[in-house]
Amino acid sequence: GRYCKEREVDIARLALRSAIENEQVPTTFISAAKVDFIKQNLASATTPLTDKEEECRSHIVSAHLKPLQSTNDSHWEGVELKRYW
């Protein structure tokens, strides 16, 4: 979150766009406690990422998701727990 915040990029928008664009995710559900948040989600779902947002997303994928692929893990299950145990 800090990386995106420093660049004034909404991490929730990156996550939503990533889920929508990922062909391995056939359905994406969104919900929100306020109507304004639903409107923001709909706008995010229908508006492509800017170059700045795409750069942020690429950094996040490279820094946090690619390392999982290099260890033959395709999920985060147990990864965080190993830090604490």
Side-chain angles (χ1 to χ4, degrees):
R2 184 177 355 148
Y3 180 84
C4 290
K5 190 173 185 175
E6 289 170 354
R7 286 152 185 79
E8 298 179 348
V9 171
D10 182 2
I11 195 168
R13 177 169 153 67
L14 299 184
L16 179 60
R17 290 296 311 170
S18 294
I20 289 170
E21 294 170 9
N22 186 339
E23 293 180 6
Q24 295 179 336
V25 180
T27 305
T28 303
F29 291 99
I30 57 173
S31 67
K34 297 182 180 184
V35 173
D36 287 342
F37 294 153
I38 292 291
K39 290 177 182 177
Q40 288 173 1
N41 286 335
L42 289 173
S44 290
T46 58
T47 306
L49 295 177
T50 65
D51 290 342
K52 180 179 177 180
E53 291 169 327
E54 188 60 54
E55 184 179 307
C56 248
R57 179 170 67 176
S58 293
H59 169 79
I60 292 167
V61 168
S62 295
H64 302 288
L65 299 179
K66 294 286 184 194
L68 286 177
Q69 293 171 348
S70 68
T71 61
N72 294 324
D73 290 328
S74 59
H75 56 78
W76 280 100
E77 186 174 340
V79 172
E80 187 174 298
L81 287 176
K82 289 177 186 175
R83 280 198 228 156
Y84 299 105
W85 299 104

